[in-house]
């Protein structure tokens, strides 16, 4: 029973991985960017857990910048994905321009809040 | 004719324009705007005096100036003290010199023609007479600058006490003239004169009958005189009485002339009685201006009581039952002090009488008595206060620098992972436009984004929000323009690729 469960898990994992490899490269780039942002946020949370949240505003701005940019990247991915029927008419360059603009505004707010 | 009209004019001036003040001085005043109070009147009055005397020197007739006005002018110049201004001092002395001399008296055919009277001033070297020293009343009569007066007698018309203005204690006495000292002396005050404040009324009677025209004496002159003496304090008794019944618990007699003190004790149910007698040198009852009894606690809280009197006897009764609250429920040792004082009493005293051990009940806790603040030593009141050392807010504990730096490098790890991942995915720049115009736009686009990010770093480091916003707006406009160009170029390129 245990062996089959673990073998099932491995099979599942392999199936997922092969399915994922089929995605277009640009989507993979965006996925990678999201992973990067999330990891950076995690490291900041670990740091705060260690040393305490004294300049709380700094901690918040750091974490929120990572989370915010991750969210914007996810939005970009949705809009750029060709399999997504809702955004068929939206040019990916336009989505990218939105992504850049929103990131700039986010980072302005973040820098102000960083203190 | 001209002289007559000038004479008339002088009379008018003296009648209409002269000012009187309460103490009988006459003076002239400027009515100019902005003139000083007294300085203007000195120079104006002295100008008038100078003018009148100059006129009198050239005229032959009599000038109708009443003697009391001349005397008033003399009193004005004598009464202003020493003026601060040199010009006023000169005016004062010159006017007094004019009033002093008798150049205005001319002998014409053995008649004396007086043009302006010479004022005579009556003064007393001292206005306080001590009965115990057996002083003599001395009076001087001089001209304004101190020269000798003509032969005259000073008469004491009457003397009365300020409290009994109608009855005179002395009437119609003549003062004897002492050749050596130049004073008119009253030998001895009669026995009726006791200690107190009196008004003596003097009058000068000239020996020469014609002198009345020459000299201005001023009629009756009122002078306040203080007669002092030693007031006898006697029959001082202190007693502690039991309440209601008035039975005496302790009683002691005290010799207030000596130095002995008493020591008593009492509780709140008892009364304290103190009495004494005051007698004047002539044996009458004496009412001093101040008669106080002071009780001072060891904590420096004081209570002052006025000692009332009935005739000669002064008595005060302190009922401690009613005074418990006034004394702030403080039990303990109270020092007793008696103060008796008056201006005409030569032996005014402040004498400690002794101690009183007072036993008062405890203060009720519900109504705790608020002790008023004690008088502060004046030297410490305005001295420097205690220095306050300010405790600054202790800064929060920060983590050690190394830990922070380690985590900073740890934060950069995912970035490296991202870049590695990008390389593994086979990221390339194949779609970078090669032709000139789009290439520049592409480069500008990237530079623009980099510039905005650099601006953000500067903003964090030192800029403020407003300059940042301004610059961001400018860069943003630029970036929008450039970005639009390159992205639309890319979009058309990929559309062409799709359609092709």
């Amino acid at each position: 029973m245990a062996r089959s469960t673990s073998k099932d898990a491995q099979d599942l994992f392999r199936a997922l991985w092969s399915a994922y490899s089929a995605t277009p490269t640009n989507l993979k780039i965006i996925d990678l960017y999201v992973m990067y942002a999330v990891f950076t946020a995690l490291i900041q949370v670990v740091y705060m857990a260690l040393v305490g949240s004294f300049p709380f505003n700094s901690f918040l701005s750091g974490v929120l910048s990572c989370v915010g940019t991750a969210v914007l990247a996810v939005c970009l991915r949705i809009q750029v994905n060709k399999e997504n029927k809702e955004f068929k008419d939206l040019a990916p360059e336009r989505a990218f321009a939105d992504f850049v603009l929103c990131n700039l505004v986010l980072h302005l707010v973040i820098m102000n809040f960083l203190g | 004719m001209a002289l007559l009209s000038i004479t008339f004019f002088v009379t008018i001036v003296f009648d209409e324009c002269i000012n009187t003040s309460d103490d009988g001085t006459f003076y002239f005043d400027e009515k100019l705007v902005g003139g000083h109070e007294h300085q203007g009147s000195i120079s104006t009055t002295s100008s008038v005096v100078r003018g009148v005397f100059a006129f009198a020197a050239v005229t032959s007739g009599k000038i109708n100036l009443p003697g009391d006005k001349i005397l008033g002018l003399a009193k004005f110049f004598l009464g202003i003290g020493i003026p601060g201004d040199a010009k006023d001092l000169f005016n004062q002395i010159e006017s007094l010199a004019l009033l002093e001399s008798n150049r205005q008296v001319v002998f014409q055919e053995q008649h004396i023609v007086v043009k302006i009277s010479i004022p005579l001033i009556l003064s007393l070297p001292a206005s306080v007479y001590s009965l115990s020293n057996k002083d003599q009343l001395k009076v001087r009569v001089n001209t304004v600058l101190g020269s000798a007066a003509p032969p005259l007698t000073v008469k004491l018309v009457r003397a009365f006490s300020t409290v009994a203005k109608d009855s005179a204690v002395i009437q119609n006495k003549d003062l004897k003239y002492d050749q050596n000292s130049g004073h008119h002396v009253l030998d001895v005050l009669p026995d009726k004169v006791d200690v107190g404040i009196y008004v003596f009324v003097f009058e000068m009677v000239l020996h020469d009958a014609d002198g009345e025209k020459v000299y201005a004496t001023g009629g009756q002159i009122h002078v306040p005189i203080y007669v002092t003496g030693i007031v006898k304090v006697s029959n001082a008794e202190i007693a502690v009485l039991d309440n209601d019944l008035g039975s005496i618990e302790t009683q002691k007699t005290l010799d207030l002339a000596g130095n002995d003190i008493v020591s008593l004790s009492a509780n709140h149910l008892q009364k304290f009685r103190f009495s004494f007698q005051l007698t004047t040198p002539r044996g009458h009852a004496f009412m001093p201006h101040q008669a106080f009894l002071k009780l001072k606690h060891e904590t420096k809280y004081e209570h002052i009581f006025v000692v009332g009197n009935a005739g000669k006897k002064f008595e005060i009764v302190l009922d401690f039952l009613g005074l418990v609250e006034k004394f702030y429920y403080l039990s303990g040792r109270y020092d007793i002090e008696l103060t008796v004082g008056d201006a005409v009493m030569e032996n005014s005293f402040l004498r400690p009488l002794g101690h009183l051990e007072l036993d008062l009940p405890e203060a009720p806790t519900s109504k705790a008595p608020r002790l008023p603040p004690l008088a502060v030593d004046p030297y410490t009141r305005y001295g420097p206060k205690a220095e306050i050392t300010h405790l600054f807010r202790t800064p929060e504990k920060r983590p050690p620098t190394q830990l922070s730096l380690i985590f900073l490098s740890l934060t950069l790890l995912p970035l490296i992972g991202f870049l590695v991942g990008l390389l593994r995915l086979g990221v390339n720049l194949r779609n970078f436009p090669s032709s000139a115009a789009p290439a520049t736009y592409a480069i500008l686009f990237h530079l623009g984004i980099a510039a905005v990010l650099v601006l953000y770093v500067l903003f964090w480091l030192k800029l403020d929000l407003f300059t940042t916003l301004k610059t961001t707006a400018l860069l943003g406009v630029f970036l929008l323009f450039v970005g639009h160009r390159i992205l639309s170029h890319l979009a058309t390129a990929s559309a062409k690729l799709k359609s092709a």
Side-chain angles (χ1 to χ4, degrees):
Chain A
M1 276 299 135
R3 271 213 63 196
S4 66
T5 323
S6 68
K7 198 164 176 297
D8 285 338
Q10 274 184 348
D11 286 340
L12 181 66
F13 185 67
R14 244 182 250 123
L16 275 175
W17 184 256
S18 55
Y20 184 68
S21 307
T23 55
T25 319
N26 50 356
L27 294 183
K28 284 198 203 153
I29 294 172
I30 297 174
D31 290 336
L32 193 61
Y33 181 71
V34 172
M35 294 308 297
Y36 154 60
V38 169
F39 271 122
T40 314
L42 275 177
I43 290 179
Q44 289 181 43
V45 170
V46 166
Y47 178 62
M48 186 218 82
L50 275 182
V51 302
S53 69
F54 163 55
F56 194 58
N57 56 321
S58 311
F59 162 68
L60 275 184
S61 84
V63 168
L64 281 180
S65 94
C66 298
V67 170
T69 196
V71 165
L72 288 171
V74 166
C75 291
L76 178 66
R77 189 186 197 279
I78 291 172
Q79 288 174 352
V80 161
N81 199 351
K82 292 198 184 56
E83 289 166 21
N84 206 341
K85 293 297 175 276
E86 275 179 22
F87 291 97
K88 203 158 49 109
D89 298 328
L90 187 69
E93 282 79 14
R94 167 73 197 282
F96 180 66
D98 285 340
F99 173 72
V100 167
L101 182 68
C102 293
N103 257 321
L104 288 179
V105 171
L106 171 74
H107 283 92
L108 176 67
V109 173
I110 290 300
M111 291 310 247
N112 194 21
F113 198 52
L114 196 58
Chain B
M1 190 64 182
L3 288 177
L4 276 175
S5 52
I6 295 178
T7 317
F8 182 61
F9 176 69
V10 167
T11 323
I12 296 278
V13 161
F14 267 75
D15 278 337
E16 300 292 319
C17 308
I18 202 160
N19 287 11
T20 318
S21 55
D22 285 338
D23 48 1
T25 64
F26 292 105
Y27 61 96
F28 290 87
D29 223 344
E30 277 182 17
K31 295 271 196 266
L32 288 178
V33 176
H36 300 284
E37 283 271 325
H38 229 55
Q39 281 88 333
S41 49
I42 296 177
S43 53
T44 317
T45 316
S46 67
S47 302
V48 172
V49 168
R50 217 175 293 132
V52 167
F53 276 84
F55 179 62
V58 296
T59 189
S60 55
K62 186 175 184 300
I63 302 174
N64 205 4
L65 287 174
D68 55 340
K69 293 237 166 62
I70 299 293
L71 193 63
L73 286 172
K75 279 194 192 161
F76 168 70
F77 281 111
L78 288 172
I80 52 181
I82 299 181
D85 193 345
K87 194 161 135 227
D88 285 336
L89 181 64
F90 169 73
N91 285 333
Q92 178 194 32
I93 296 180
E94 197 205 21
S95 306
L96 285 174
L98 286 170
L99 287 165
E100 154 97 354
S101 64
N102 53 5
R103 276 172 282 155
Q104 273 61 28
V105 176
V106 170
F107 287 91
Q108 265 186 1
E109 299 156 355
Q110 300 188 350
H111 294 290
I112 299 171
V113 176
V114 178
K115 296 183 195 174
I116 302 177
S117 322
I118 301 171
L120 288 175
I121 307 291
L122 182 142
S123 59
L124 279 81
S127 61
V128 175
Y129 287 89
S130 163
L131 285 178
S132 41
N133 291 350
K134 295 207 187 321
D135 285 342
Q136 290 179 326
L137 185 72
K138 293 198 183 88
V139 169
R140 278 183 78 99
V141 179
N142 294 114
T143 57
V144 289
L145 287 180
S147 310
L152 54 78
T153 312
V154 177
K155 226 163 117 161
L156 176 58
V157 174
R158 70 179 199 284
F160 54 88
S161 163
T162 45
V163 295
K165 290 199 171 69
D166 298 329
S167 64
V169 288
I170 309 177
Q171 271 191 331
N172 284 333
K173 277 195 100 101
D174 284 350
L175 275 71
K176 283 211 246 319
Y177 182 65
D178 181 8
Q179 289 277 21
N180 299 341
S181 62
H183 290 137
H184 299 259
V185 174
L186 182 70
D187 295 348
V188 63
L189 291 174
D191 288 341
K192 273 190 6 177
V193 175
D194 204 351
V195 294
I197 305 172
Y198 293 86
V199 175
F200 280 39
V201 183
F202 293 102
E203 205 175 31
M204 292 185 263
V205 176
L206 292 157
H207 289 169
D208 188 4
D210 288 334
E212 287 294 322
K213 300 187 207 108
V214 180
Y215 294 99
T217 55
Q220 292 197 340
I221 300 162
H222 293 239
V223 180
I225 300 275
Y226 281 74
V227 180
T228 64
I230 295 192
V231 171
K232 197 166 72 130
V233 189
S234 54
N235 292 6
E237 272 182 7
I238 302 187
V240 174
L241 314 168
D242 271 328
N243 216 350
D244 294 343
L245 297 170
S247 58
I248 297 173
E249 195 193 290
T250 35
Q251 180 170 12
K252 296 195 176 130
T253 50
L254 200 58
D255 178 21
L256 287 177
N259 268 342
D260 43 338
I261 55 176
V262 297
S263 211
L264 302 165
S265 66
N267 61 32
H268 68 287
L269 295 170
Q270 293 172 324
K271 289 189 207 169
F272 169 86
R273 184 180 71 195
F274 175 62
S275 61
F276 57 95
Q277 282 186 354
L278 291 175
T279 325
T280 67
R282 303 283 187 221
H284 301 135
F286 180 67
M287 179 71 168
H289 186 227
Q290 297 171 347
F292 301 132
L293 189 76
K294 181 160 87 167
L295 265 76
K296 186 157 106 163
H297 191 237
E298 38 204 8
T299 55
K300 305 263 180 299
Y301 281 101
E302 303 177 336
H303 309 277
I304 301 181
F305 303 93
V306 176
V307 182
N309 74 321
K312 262 197 229 177
K313 184 158 180 223
F314 283 76
E315 190 183 42
I316 181 171
V317 176
L318 297 177
D319 186 1
F320 291 123
L321 196 60
L323 291 172
V324 168
E325 264 197 51
K326 187 168 168 354
F327 281 16
Y328 311 115
Y329 295 90
L330 289 171
S331 302
R333 193 168 119 140
Y334 282 82
D335 293 332
I336 312 174
E337 262 181 15
L338 176 69
T339 304
V340 174
D342 194 279
V344 299
M345 194 170 144
E346 279 170 20
N347 55 334
S348 305
F349 60 88
L350 185 147
R351 188 185 182 296
L353 297 180
H355 320 294
L356 175 71
E357 288 285 343
L358 196 55
D359 193 13
L360 297 176
E362 285 292 321
T365 48
S366 59
K367 204 178 58 154
R370 286 165 317 219
L371 298 175
L374 285 172
V376 180
D377 178 17
Y379 289 107
T380 57
R381 189 194 298 202
Y382 297 113
K385 291 206 182 288
E387 193 170 321
I388 306 170
T389 49
H390 180 71
L391 291 171
F392 290 96
R393 183 175 65 96
T394 51
E396 294 268 347
K397 221 163 58 86
R398 305 303 293 266
T401 323
Q402 287 162 334
L403 189 65
S404 303
L405 288 173
I406 289 171
F407 267 90
L408 182 65
S409 51
L410 276 181
T411 312
L412 295 174
L413 273 181
L415 179 66
I416 299 171
F418 176 62
L419 292 172
V420 164
L422 280 182
L423 285 172
R424 280 191 42 184
L425 280 174
V427 150
N428 50 39
L429 287 171
R430 263 174 304 185
N431 216 8
F432 199 83
S434 41
S435 46
T440 40
Y441 283 126
I443 291 169
L444 282 177
F445 180 65
H446 286 94
L447 281 180
I449 294 182
V452 173
L453 292 178
V454 162
L455 175 69
Y456 287 170
V457 170
L458 278 180
F459 170 48
W460 182 51
L461 285 179
K462 59 177 182 175
L463 292 178
D464 61 354
L465 187 61
F466 296 105
T467 44
T468 317
L469 281 178
K470 260 196 307 200
T471 326
T472 313
L474 289 170
L475 280 175
V477 167
F478 164 72
L479 204 59
L480 273 174
F481 174 66
V482 168
H484 178 72
R485 292 300 288 267
I486 180 65
L487 287 173
S488 55
H489 168 82
L490 281 174
T492 48
S494 63
K496 263 192 250 168
L497 219 62
K498 247 201 285 192
S499 58

